[in-house]
Structures are given as structure tokens and as C-alpha cells.
Amino acid sequence: VGAARGAPLNHALCHDCHLLCRLPEGAHEGECPRCGAALHQRKPRSLERTWAWLIAAALCYLPANLLPIMKVTSLGRAQADTIMSGVVYLLLHGMWPLAVVVFTASVFVPLLKLAILFGLLVSVHRSSRWRPVDRTRLYRITEAIGRWSMVDIFVVTILVALVHLGNLATVEAQTGAVFFGAVVVLTMLAAESFDPRLIWDRCEERPT
Amino acid sequence: MSSDEPHARDEVAEAVVTSRRRPSIVWLIPLVAAVVGAFVAWRTYSDLGPEITISFESAEGIEAGKTPIKYKDVQVGMVEEIGLKDDLTGVVCTARMTKDFEPYLVKGTRFWVARARVAGGQVSGLGTIFSGAYLGVDPVREAGAKTKRKFKGLETPPIVTRDQPGKHFVLHSYRAGNVEVGTPVYFRKIRVGEVVSSELDESGEFVTVQIFVHAPNDQRVSRATRFWNASGVQVEVGAGGVNVNVESLTSLLIGGIAFEKPPGSFGPPAENGALFTLYENHDATRREIYTQKATYVAYFDQSVRGLESGAPVEFRGIQIGEVSDVKLEYRPDSGEFVIPVLIEIEPERIANLGMVDPATRREGLDLLVKRGLRAQLQSGNLLTGQLIVQLDFHKGAKPAEIVWSEPYPELPTVPAPLEEITGSVQRLVKRLETLPLDEVVGSMNEALQAARDALAQGQKTLATASALVGPDSPANSELRRALVEMSDAARSVGLAADQIQQQPDSLLFGKEQKQ
């Protein structure tokens, strides 16, 4: 739109000392001549890294939902719950607002993040020019809600620490919780490594 | 701006370019995630045991995903699904067993729902009130048993599981009595086992009772062991009086089976699954010990009131058999009524008797009857008026012979003692009737006259005697005087004796004169 941008001018800003550097012709990366920090016009290997984190997150998403995340032993009766079985339990006992919260935070949001990142990556690869503003907004949402998915892990952690009543009731964390935590962390890393500027780069490459 | 900052002059600094081309290390993350994920998936899958179905009449207490299957309180599986049978006659539970339990999912393995219940005088499964019901399992540990995946669950927990040491025995009986599953089995009034099942056999004629005797008491059961129904109170009123027998308070309420080894019998312990007869009561076991029975008939021509079948047959007070039947028989040819009493004699009750061999028995009996062996009715119990049959030698009995008739040989009888007395009195009266009373009275008169004369003579003699010794008679006064003089003389002798004792010299010098 005529605005001055760093990439066509081959300029890059050092992240450490904030020195504006001009990159040599054809180069996208370099080192800051003043402080020696790595310079790059775009996040380096953004797509590759995002893909890696995203695939790792997707791989962890399956066991996170299939394996039980928590085992409650009450009066000699053990019950292991997966996330979905917990949601169903809440729903069956009339606590549907809570069920909605748990479902949104623990099942829907992680899945949504994975889907958004996947969509963004694909759109960048295909050099899509479709609604770059909306796509950027989606990315911002992904980044913002990432941390809220940790609610489940916090609940499990608190319960495990608090409920140690011997035979009366005991709560134990199960493998599912580990995978669920991994999903949250990996999607956050994936969102972090994605460079939204790529969305705009491609939008302008085509006409030129 | 200083000179050592050339980029400041150019406004934009020249970046140093280094080429660096190798795959990003970030790819290790999805790799690790994939490996871990694959490992977890493999673990989960390989830990997945076999899936089995168990059918029950009702799913009371069973919850899908919550009811565990336990063996010795260790979880070996979990009910995952509960569904109805197609014909709605029951429920089918789908359960996932653990992998290490797989070898025991074979034919014969039993499942049941363990709940709190009261059976066989025992309370079990109280823990399930809090923890909820679970499925119990009794696995078969035989190698090579047929693998099975569909089981029919038991509606009640088995009384005996296979891990309990002991032996099963099968008892046959005409009636089940008070015997149910869980009924205790006693040995010397100590509980040593339980009834496992009680059902009719195929023909419907017998009740087959399966019992389990726990180790080590199962070694006490040998082939000779006798089992009897020890249910409730056993009251017997017999010739020996009233006999009340109770095995235990528990058996009074829920029945029981007792066993004992007959005295004197020994043998190796019975094998598992051995067949026995279940007797109706303790006495029946003793009766049945005498396998040989010789039946005789004895005809009595008097009242047999008080004689019942089952009354003892005794020889000198020792029971050697019993009365098996009492009938009334009319003999048209003689117009008489006779009472044939069938008696069963158990020769084995008599030690060292050659009678056990039927061939020699006949001769022996002939000899005994010749020596006076007779059957006789006797009062067994004065209180109840029961009669018994007594066999004994009667020396003065009329000679008789045993009649070897069919179907039973006939023993000669002698009348009962009461009848004997009556008979003697009658004979006495008859004798009295034939006595010559007139002669007796005549001779008695003569005797009386003679006696009267003798008395008169005696009177005279007495009168003479009294005249001789009467108070006024001269003989009397003479006698009195003589007595007085005799006493004087005695006194003088006494004085003289004293004098001599004090002064022995007075014998020579005379009495010393006092100064």
C-alpha cells in the first residue's frame, strides 16, 4: 500500500541493541555489526519450526484425550477419568456450565489452536491472498488464548496436592495429564515460532 | 556519532553474512513426541487384556466402567459395558481382563457378583457396602483347559472356591431334608465343611448333595465313613425312653450334615468326589452297619398291644435285631386268629457267631431251639407299656422245632411271663377243687379232741406244782429260814477274813484284846 517496509529495503532491526542494519543484496539474515546478535528480516525458519512444533503438538493431542488424566480413589474404589469422561460426568450430573467450560478450555481450544496454525501454515505455503487481516487476527487470538488451556493441568495439580486423605480419597495424576500439558506447551511454541509477517509478505509478492 | 560506526554515516549498517544450512534442531521435538506417543500407544495396547462377556440374570450393583473384577481382592479386570440379552432374559457384561489373567479364562472359570449377603449362617461381603459390588472370579488353574471368552455368571457366590484345599464328596439321599447350599457339615460337632449343591438327580429318585470338606479334615473321610442329616432336633421315644439330640444351635436353624467313622473301621482317606449315602439320622447309620439280616416269623396268640415295628429284639438284654412287621392272620381251617410277628435279626451283632454263614446257620438254629431257645413277648418299658421280643433259653419249655417254611422260618414262642402266672394260678385252683375236703375236716376234729385232753392233763400238773411252791407252803418258809442263816454265816466268814488281813498273827495268838 506504499508504506515503507523493511524487507524490500533489505533492512533489519537488531533485536538486542535495536540497531537498524542493512542486509547485503539477496541476504535475509546476518549478524549485528555492533552487538553480534543474529539479524533476520523474518523469524528464521519460521515455517519449518512451526510445522515441527505443530506436528509434535498434534501427536500429543491424541494420547492427551484418550488416556486418563486423573485417577480418583475413594473408599477403595478407583476411577480413572479422561477429559471427555469428565465432561460427560459433569453433563450427566446437571453441571452443564462447568461441562461447557471444561470442554471449551480442554478439548475445543487446543483443537482450535492446532487447526488455526495448520490453516495459517497452509495458507502461507500456498501464498494465499485471502483475507490477510482476518488471518492475522486469528493468529493473535491463538497467541492470546494459548495459556488458558493450562487450566486443566492446574486443577489436576491442585487436586493431587490437596486430596491426600488416605483410604477416604486420593487423587493421582495419570499419563494423559503429561500429554495434555505437552499439547498446550507445544502449541504455544508453535504459535510463537510462526511469523505473521509472512502472511503479508505473500500478499505482496504476487503482484510484484 | 563516532568514526568507528561507519554504518551510522551510511545510515544503514552492512550486515555480516554467514552461510548456515542444516536441518533445524526443532524437528527433534515432533520426533520425540512421535516416539513417546508410539510407545504409550504400544504399551496401552499390549497391556490390553482379552475381552470377555459374562451373563447374569440382573445387573444389580454392576456399573459399566466402575465395577472391577477381583480375585483375592486384586483387580484383574473391569466391566466396560452392560447390555441386555437379545431375548431380554438377562444382562451381558462386557469386561476387559488384565493380560496376566488370560491363561485362566478357560472352561470352568466362574464369575459372580460379590455383594453383602447373609447365607449359610455367615455374613460375607460387608466391605462392598462402601466400595460397591465387584465381580468375583474363581479361576481354573489346569494346564490345557479349553479357552473360553463367554461366561455365564453365578447368581450366588460359590460356597467353595478352587483355591481352598479340601475335597468334594457326593451324598445320595431320598430326601433333601433341611439341606441347602451353605449348610454346614460337622465332624464331632465341629464345623469342617459346607454343602455346595443340593439337587435332584436325573431320574428324580434321589437327591444328590455335594459337600466340601476343608483340609485337613477331609482326610478323616474314608470309604467307611457314614454321613447323616443332623438337622434340627431329633426326638426319639422308644423302648429305651426319650432321647433328644441336637447337633448344634446353628444346625437347629439352618440344618446340617454330620459324619463319623464307625468305630473299629479304618481305611485310606476317600478320594475326591467319592459317593456316599446320606442317612436320615444318626441311628440309621448305626443300623445300616449290619448289612446282613435274617428274617424270622414268630406266632403269638395273645395281645401284642405295645409291640410296634422297630421294637428291639433282645437276647438276654442285648439287642440283636428288631421287629419289622406285626400283622393279624386268620386261619380259616382252624378258625383261629394268630399274630405273626416278623423279626429281623442281624447276625453281625453277635460276635464270633458261625451263623453269619447261612449254610451253617440252619443247623445252629435247630440246635439252639432244641436247647430251649424261644421267642417271648416282654414288657420293654413299664411307663410306656411298650413290648419287646425277647429270645432266651427256656429249660422247661415244651419241646418244639423251628419250622423252615417259606418265606420266613418260624421260631417257636413261649407265653409272656404275665400269662405264665395266670396259667399257674388257674392250675392251682383246679388242684384245690379236686382235694377231699370232708376227710380233712373229720381228721381235723379228732385232732382237736386229742388236743383238748392234753390241755386238761396239763392243768392238773400245774396245780400240783403251785401247791408245792405256793407262798404259804411249808417248803417256802423252810427255804426262807435257810437263806437267812446262810447270809449270817457269810457275814461271819467276812469278819474273820478281815481280822486275818489286819492281824495275820491272830490265827496263832487269838484276837487281841483292846486296852
Side-chain angles (χ1 to χ4, degrees), chain B residues 238-381:
Chain B
V242 181
N243 184 18
V244 181
N245 195 11
V246 182
E247 191 67 24
S248 83
L249 271 182
T250 323
S251 72
L252 191 66
L253 296 172
I254 61 169
I257 286 176
F259 68 87
E260 73 171 15
K261 217 187 257 189
S265 72
F266 45 85
E271 67 277 18
N272 193 26
L275 193 74
F276 292 92
T277 307
L278 178 61
Y279 295 97
E280 264 180 53
N281 51 47
H282 193 192
D283 281 353
T285 66
R286 288 188 198 140
R287 267 203 292 282
E288 291 287 332
I289 293 171
Y290 308 107
T291 50
Q292 288 195 26
K293 277 184 184 175
T295 309
Y296 301 93
V297 64
Y299 287 96
F300 293 98
D301 49 2
Q302 69 196 92
S303 166
V304 294
R305 173 188 284 267
L307 185 71
E308 290 165 2
S309 66
V313 175
E314 292 183 354
F315 180 79
R316 290 183 180 167
I318 294 169
Q319 186 175 351
I320 58 166
E322 63 179 39
V323 173
S324 67
D325 200 10
V326 181
K327 279 195 202 108
L328 185 61
E329 193 178 304
Y330 176 66
R331 288 184 170 162
D333 46 340
S334 62
E336 275 181 336
F337 286 96
V338 287
I339 300 163
V341 174
L342 285 183
I343 55 177
E344 282 180 341
I345 290 175
E346 288 141 352
E348 285 159 294
R349 284 181 187 261
I350 306 155
N352 300 332
L353 194 68
M355 288 170 74
V356 177
D357 182 15
T360 58
R361 186 184 298 160
R362 197 164 165 152
E363 294 169 29
L365 260 178
D366 280 336
L367 187 70
L368 290 174
V369 170
K370 204 165 276 174
R371 279 169 54 194
L373 186 74
R374 299 288 184 275
Q376 187 184 39
L377 287 180
Q378 273 192 356
S379 173
N381 188 326

Side-chain angles (χ1 to χ4, degrees), chain A residues 86-106:
Chain A
V87 171
V88 170
Y89 175 86
L90 289 172
L91 209 58
L92 288 178
H93 286 71
M95 294 182 270
W96 62 267
L98 211 55
V100 168
V101 169
V102 172
F103 179 79
T104 312
S106 305

Side-chain angles (χ1 to χ4, degrees), chain A residues 64-85:
Chain A
N65 278 282
L66 293 177
L67 294 176
I69 60 163
M70 189 168 77
K71 189 166 112 182
V72 181
T73 314
S74 177
L75 293 167
R77 200 161 182 193
Q79 191 184 347
D81 271 314
T82 61
I83 294 171
M84 269 322 274
S85 77

Side-chain angles (χ1 to χ4, degrees), chain B residues 71-133:
Chain B
Y71 177 63
K72 288 185 187 290
D73 243 12
V74 172
Q75 187 173 333
V76 294
M78 176 69 84
V79 174
E80 290 189 332
E81 215 180 306
I82 301 171
L84 285 170
K85 277 188 194 169
D86 293 339
D87 54 359
L88 302 180
T89 54
V91 296
V92 178
C93 300
T94 309
R96 177 73 68 182
M97 304 300 288
T98 54
K99 204 165 178 61
D100 39 358
F101 205 72
E102 191 168 3
Y104 309 114
L105 295 171
V106 293
K107 196 169 183 289
T109 293
R110 300 179 291 178
F111 293 87
W112 66 92
V113 185
R115 311 182 183 103
R117 68 178 79 221
V118 182
Q122 287 176 322
V123 181
S124 61
L126 275 186
T128 58
I129 291 176
F130 299 105
S131 63

Side-chain angles (χ1 to χ4, degrees), chain A residues 10-11 19-25 27 29-34 39 44-45 47-53 55-57 59-60 63 67 74-79 89 175 179 186, chain B residues 5 7 10-18 20-31 33-37 40 44 61 63 65-68 70 75 78 130-133:
Chain A
N10 251 11
H11 284 180
L19 177 71
L20 186 66
C21 309
R22 194 186 65 233
L23 290 166
E25 200 62 36
E29 289 170 355
E31 279 168 18
C32 172
R34 185 165 66 177
L39 287 179
R45 301 177 166 202
L47 290 178
E48 186 187 4
R49 286 183 185 178
T50 310
W51 271 120
W53 293 122
I55 289 168
L59 283 174
C60 290
L67 294 176
S74 177
L75 293 167
R77 200 161 182 193
Q79 191 184 347
Y89 175 86
T175 358
F179 282 100
L186 289 171
Chain B
E5 289 174 329
H7 48 273
D10 301 330
E11 282 204 12
V12 180
E14 195 77 27
V16 183
V17 178
T18 50
R20 187 166 55 91
R21 265 291 138 207
R22 53 193 162 90
S24 171
I25 202 157
V26 82
W27 282 109
L28 275 178
I29 302 296
L31 201 67
V35 167
V36 171
V40 169
T44 312
E63 281 179 81
K66 286 183 184 169
T67 304
K70 288 182 178 179
Q75 187 173 333
M78 176 69 84
F130 299 105
S131 63

